[in-house]
Amino acid sequence: MLVHGILKSWAGYLMNNEQDTYKEVKALDALQDHLRYVVNSITELRNLIEDWISKKNENMEIHIEELERIEKQANTIKWKILDELSEAETMLHREDFMRLVMTIDEIVDYAEGTGHRVIFLMEWCPDEKSISYIKEMMDALFKMIKTLRESIFILTQNTDKSIKIAQKIYDIEREIDKLHRNMIKHIFSLDIDYKTLLLISNLIEHLENIADIMENVTDAIRIIAVARRGFL
């Protein structure tokens, strides 16, 4: 009877484990869909900045409308994922997954907000050095979000590789920190009015904040990966 009870308990444990793993995979699948909109938001912001630099002002509102559309769709998927996670009461790392989803969604919000800050600067003609810094920051942000997506994609398949890929984010973030410092130093050397100086500074701060959020996402990925590795 004792052996029978132990086997029955072990069978129940395995069944719950399989169900939890299925829920994790399902949640990550939905998160991939959410990430598609996050990547699109960074791409759209990059396109907006390219058109701003090229003085294609007629495209500005189109980009803003697209950023707002992406943000709305990303929010819909975010709440769908969170609703599913809230019902998965026995799922391991549920709170960590929720934190991951919420942090990732902040990227879309900041991308839209940054787009509006570019609009505020439509009348400013950036010098070549400013253009170079801004383009480099956007290129680095795009590289970061692509790397994040790759890390999350293999999170349930290979936790060690997921952690290794996520590690690259920290290196890129340090590059953006350096670009941010150099850009701030540069704009204070320019002969521009105080209002424009504040607007430029605010734009650069927002780009830096997006990088910081991506770094926070990386931390959340590592927490889940390490926990899964310990459990597996």
Side-chain angles (χ1 to χ4, degrees), residues 121 187-188 190-201:
L121 285 164
I187 62 173
F188 274 92
L190 298 176
D191 184 18
I192 52 179
D193 63 274
Y194 187 65
K195 180 181 177 182
T196 302
L197 182 64
L198 285 178
L199 290 173
I200 301 168
S201 179

Side-chain angles (χ1 to χ4, degrees), residues 78-79 82 97-107:
K78 174 190 72 176
W79 288 115
L82 291 176
F97 271 107
M98 285 183 167
R99 190 179 303 112
L100 178 61
V101 173
M102 293 296 291
T103 308
I104 287 173
D105 196 67
E106 290 180 30
I107 298 171

Side-chain angles (χ1 to χ4, degrees), residues 57-66 119 122:
N57 293 349
E58 68 277 7
N59 295 339
M60 294 295 98
E61 284 303 321
I62 296 173
H63 290 303
I64 290 295
E65 288 174 5
E66 182 62 13
I119 296 294
M122 279 176 60

Side-chain angles (χ1 to χ4, degrees), residues 134-150:
I134 293 171
K135 280 187 172 183
E136 284 185 62
M137 289 185 79
M138 277 309 311
D139 288 344
L141 286 175
F142 190 73
K143 186 177 179 181
M144 283 182 84
I145 194 61
K146 288 286 191 178
T147 306
L148 277 178
R149 187 177 187 179
E150 182 184 0

